[in-house]
Amino acid sequence: MRYIHCLNNISKYGTDLLPESYQLTDDASQATGILVRSAAMHDMQFPENLWAIARAGAGVNNIPLDRCAEEGIVVFNTPGANANAVKELVVCALLLGSRDIVGGIAWCRENADDANIAKTAEKAKKAFAGREVLGKKLGVIGLGAIGAQVANTAIDLGMDVYGYDPYVSVGAAWSISSAVHYVKNLDDLLATCDYLTIHVPAMESTIGMIDAHACDVMKDGAVFLNFSRDTLVDSAAMASALESGKVHAYITDFATPEVMRMPHAIVLPHLGASTAEAEDNCAMMAVRQMVDYLENGTIKNSVNYPACDMGPVREGTSRIAVLHANVPNMISQITNAFGEEGINISDLTNKARGEHAYTLLDLDQPATDAVLEKLAGIEGVRRVRKVK
């Protein structure tokens, strides 16, 4: 029996996918796998039997990735599972930034007791006049699952779309409309576009990337949307740009004390992936990836170990997974351990990602306790698991 612990409420559409040999548990110390959404895990002590953590969502800043890698715990996320939900909210934000819809709604509420509100509104509405997005230039920073969908939808809305992403994947590139103009220099995109939206992960190279320089380069009166991570935008720089009128509006999904003090900011309470469909999709994807890893050793969409797929374990063979440091001579030490025990390796795959590596081995006979002990004793080996 394998035990799965949910740190947050996880959609039943996901947990119902667990095989019969799996059981949900309230005791984290029993867990073979943990399913999580937003719960903070940095202060958690992980049990020795924990093999995987699956985040039902894209962001993983609530999980100690490096410590998990050192302890041989594979961390998964679910990129793209909530992309449509976020895309739809970004489209909504585009309209909020082009028409003073928020101001108009507030005016109606404030004048709710006016018996002649219909007539009064005809005079008042000119204060909330805006512009159409048709024919305007939209700059999309980051062309991953969400950015690509935003770009394609903006094309359908009749916008002139420019995209910037020096690391765009081949898969993402195929999904992006050919009508999107690819820009190699971020400053060129910032200076060209009427609307800008950012869709990149928060990491050392991207945190604070929308700084004072970026704001200065922007086209006068630009509207900036941030539905990715609050830390991507330098709050002081954005506040200054809003106060001067350089940036017309800042629309963000992240309510922080700094942004709540900004003029011309429209702030939402992190609603990007808050749809029933997105939560269901993320939960199902998280469970499928975790089960595939526990059953077959397959790694897909991990954020701390490399992708690796040898398919289902073939009948008549057994499979061993070794999580280890990415250092020279590791493969020969692993294979020698089997050779010394007279065990034949029928198939082997090794993948590396930065400092971390992963080796899957199919054997013609079950691995002995002796070979497992030898593997665990190799310097740089973090965990050894008998998959089947």
Side-chain angles (χ1 to χ4, degrees):
M1 182 67 67
R2 287 181 168 133
Y3 294 96
I4 305 299
H5 178 69
C6 299
L7 279 177
N8 299 102
N9 289 327
I10 301 296
S11 167
K12 197 172 182 338
Y13 284 94
T15 55
D16 281 352
L17 295 175
L18 291 170
E20 291 184 1
S21 57
Y22 289 65
Q23 182 175 313
L24 294 174
T25 178
D26 292 330
D27 184 357
S29 68
Q30 288 186 320
T32 309
I34 289 178
L35 293 167
V36 62
R37 289 172 59 199
S38 58
M41 302 184 71
H42 287 276
D43 294 330
M44 283 187 66
Q45 295 300 312
F46 300 124
E48 290 185 4
N49 50 292
L50 180 66
W51 285 100
I53 296 170
R55 159 79 163 97
V60 289
N61 56 318
N62 58 319
I63 304 171
L65 302 182
D66 291 338
R67 178 158 66 90
C68 286
E70 291 294 333
E71 295 183 25
I73 301 168
V74 179
V75 180
F76 300 89
N77 70 345
T78 57
N82 59 14
N84 185 71
V86 179
K87 176 208 71 178
E88 289 185 1
L89 196 60
V90 171
V91 171
C92 173
L94 274 173
L95 301 178
L96 294 178
S98 62
R99 311 279 290 272
D100 191 6
I101 298 168
V102 173
I105 293 171
W107 182 91
C108 289
R109 291 294 184 189
E110 291 164 2
N111 292 273
D113 296 331
D114 182 357
N116 296 309
I117 188 170
K119 182 180 287 187
T120 309
E122 289 303 312
K123 297 178 181 178
K125 68 181 184 181
K126 62 183 178 182
F128 310 111
R131 57 182 180 175
E132 299 177 14
V133 298
L134 180 68
K136 304 301 188 301
K137 292 180 171 63
L138 171 68
V140 182
I141 305 168
L143 296 168
I146 296 171
Q149 287 199 28
V150 169
N152 291 346
T153 300
I155 290 290
D156 292 338
L157 291 173
M159 301 189 78
D160 191 16
V161 181
Y162 294 76
Y164 169 80
D165 190 335
Y167 308 109
V168 64
S169 67
V170 173
W174 277 107
S175 69
I176 299 168
S177 169
S178 60
V180 175
H181 309 289
Y182 187 70
V183 180
K184 294 184 178 180
N185 186 286
L186 178 59
D187 283 1
D188 291 341
L189 180 139
L190 296 172
T192 300
C193 296
D194 306 291
Y195 299 85
L196 297 152
T197 181
I198 190 166
H199 301 284
V200 300
M203 50 190 188
E204 188 175 348
S205 61
T206 61
I207 289 174
M209 68 182 292
I210 305 303
D211 54 12
H213 169 77
C215 290
D216 288 342
V217 172
M218 287 181 200
K219 187 175 182 178
D220 290 348
V223 173
F224 196 92
L225 315 180
N226 180 8
F227 286 75
S228 189
R229 282 289 179 266
D230 61 310
T231 54
L232 302 174
V233 176
D234 183 286
S235 294
M238 183 57 69
S240 179
L242 289 166
E243 288 170 3
S244 70
K246 177 69 176 180
V247 174
H248 174 70
Y250 177 48
I251 308 175
T252 179
D253 205 20
F254 307 100
T256 66
E258 295 80 12
V259 78
M260 295 310 301
R261 292 191 290 268
M262 293 182 189
H264 311 297
I266 299 174
V267 187
L268 304 179
H270 204 189
L271 299 179
S274 294
T275 67
E277 295 89 346
E279 291 182 7
D280 293 344
N281 290 338
C282 288
M284 290 188 290
M285 187 172 177
V287 168
R288 288 187 178 114
Q289 290 175 169
M290 176 179 283
V291 170
D292 198 11
Y293 173 65
L294 295 176
E295 295 293 314
N296 299 303
T298 301
I299 295 180
K300 184 178 181 181
N301 291 324
S302 171
V303 291
N304 65 344
Y305 272 96
C308 184
D309 186 359
M310 285 178 63
V313 180
R314 299 188 308 277
E315 189 175 348
T317 65
S318 64
R319 181 169 291 176
I320 299 296
V322 185
L323 298 106
H324 55 88
N326 183 22
V327 294
N329 199 38
M330 181 60 74
I331 301 304
S332 62
Q333 292 184 78
I334 291 173
T335 55
N336 285 342
F338 288 99
E340 290 169 1
E341 293 296 318
I343 298 174
N344 186 55
I345 299 170
S346 59
D347 199 2
L348 180 153
T349 298
N350 170 262
K351 301 291 182 181
R353 177 177 180 173
E355 299 177 357
H356 313 301
Y358 183 61
T359 301
L360 271 181
L361 306 102
D362 279 355
L363 313 173
D364 288 337
Q365 61 205 81
T368 62
D369 290 340
V371 76
L372 296 177
E373 289 177 10
K374 285 184 177 181
L375 292 172
I378 297 172
E379 184 177 356
V381 168
R382 284 140 187 187
R383 306 259 323 248
V384 178
R385 180 166 75 96
K386 182 183 277 189
V387 180
K388 281 187 180 176

